[in-house]
Amino acid sequence: MQNNFTYRIIVDACEAPVTKPESAPGSCLNRDLVTSAATAMSDAAITLRRARPDDAADYARTMGDPEVYPWLLQLPFPSVDFWRARLADLAAPDRAEIHLVAEIDGRFAGSAGLHQIQRLRRRHAAMLGISVATEAQHRGVGRALMQALCDYADGWAQILRIELDVDAQNHRAIALYESFGFRREGLHRAYAMRGGVYADSLSMARLHPHPPQVGWPD
């Protein structure tokens, strides 16, 4: 039976903004609505819980936001049906992945997941993905999600190595990852198309800071 744990985290709003690349398409969001939503989220605790299939519309909205998808390997006009099917698949009891949703005052604020690699010799590693809704940025959402996933990996999932790829121009996100112990491992030139240009990507990884040691007592 799936563990739908929920807990509340109050963090400093130290998550830095992501600068929109010059080559990215212009935003078609209603700035008044975003400002209103951000104001409604002010000074509220962040709640984390397991993602559910009924989060599909929020996933599609966030992943289709022109301020968000240029930095991820996403495309414009995402399908709600696609996300509903994907989230249902991730919720299956035999899946090793964990996918979390962050909420502020009951509003969807972001999501993040750890995808454990299934190949036998790589089962100690997992890929991390994270996104924060535009109206919830600068509220500490990314930091709360990162902390929860690192704690889960270190304390429960027997994960030694967490890996991620990030746009090489996303300097604020890189700084956030480095604050959790991620190190730069390599640069991929012309890794992905972003707004009409080929963008570089940075590979980063974090090793368990205190991997468990086992031995017989003397």
Side-chain angles (χ1 to χ4, degrees):
M1 195 171 173
Q2 183 173 310
N3 176 23
N4 288 316
F5 61 86
T6 300
Y7 59 100
R8 292 172 69 80
I9 300 178
I10 301 176
V11 298
D12 294 331
C14 52
E15 174 185 321
V18 172
T19 304
K20 180 178 160 187
E22 293 180 1
S23 57
S27 172
C28 61
L29 288 178
N30 184 320
R31 294 291 102 192
D32 292 336
L33 290 178
V34 171
T35 301
S36 175
T39 301
M41 289 180 170
S42 297
D43 302 321
I46 298 168
T47 301
L48 304 184
R49 61 168 174 80
R50 289 269 191 170
R52 303 185 296 250
D54 59 8
D55 294 315
D58 287 319
Y59 270 78
R61 175 182 58 83
T62 301
M63 299 301 180
D65 184 339
E67 300 289 340
V68 175
Y69 71 74
W71 298 104
L72 310 174
L73 288 180
Q74 302 293 330
L75 293 169
F77 311 113
S79 163
V80 174
D81 290 339
F82 166 81
W83 279 106
R84 184 177 295 109
R86 183 171 180 182
L87 291 170
D89 183 51
L90 290 171
D94 60 338
R95 296 296 296 264
E97 294 93 338
I98 181 172
H99 230 271
L100 298 180
V101 162
E103 293 181 329
I104 299 178
D105 254 359
R107 298 171 182 261
F108 184 94
S111 65
L114 272 181
H115 308 276
Q116 200 156 3
I117 298 170
Q118 295 304 300
R119 293 178 63 182
L120 181 60
R121 294 173 60 185
R122 293 268 290 145
R123 288 184 184 172
H124 63 287
M127 291 293 298
L128 184 147
I130 184 171
S131 64
V132 178
T134 298
E135 64 272 16
Q137 292 179 8
H138 328 309
R139 304 300 310 160
V141 173
R143 184 166 294 278
L145 287 165
M146 290 290 295
Q147 186 67 64
L149 290 183
C150 287
D151 289 348
Y152 180 83
D154 294 346
W156 303 99
Q158 302 189 74
I159 293 172
L160 176 68
R161 173 184 168 89
I162 305 175
E163 305 171 357
L164 61 83
D165 292 310
V166 58
D167 190 298
Q169 291 187 19
N170 197 343
H171 304 297
R172 303 298 179 84
I174 293 168
L176 174 65
Y177 303 146
E178 288 179 333
S179 74
F180 280 91
F182 283 79
R183 296 192 181 187
R184 308 180 190 206
E185 293 193 321
L187 182 69
H188 304 273
R189 298 304 306 273
Y191 183 79
M193 176 69 72
R194 169 172 44 74
V197 300
Y198 287 108
D200 297 341
S201 178
L202 189 64
S203 288
M204 303 183 71
R206 171 191 182 271
L207 298 179
H208 194 311
H210 304 290
Q213 302 295 318
V214 178
W216 293 108
D218 295 333

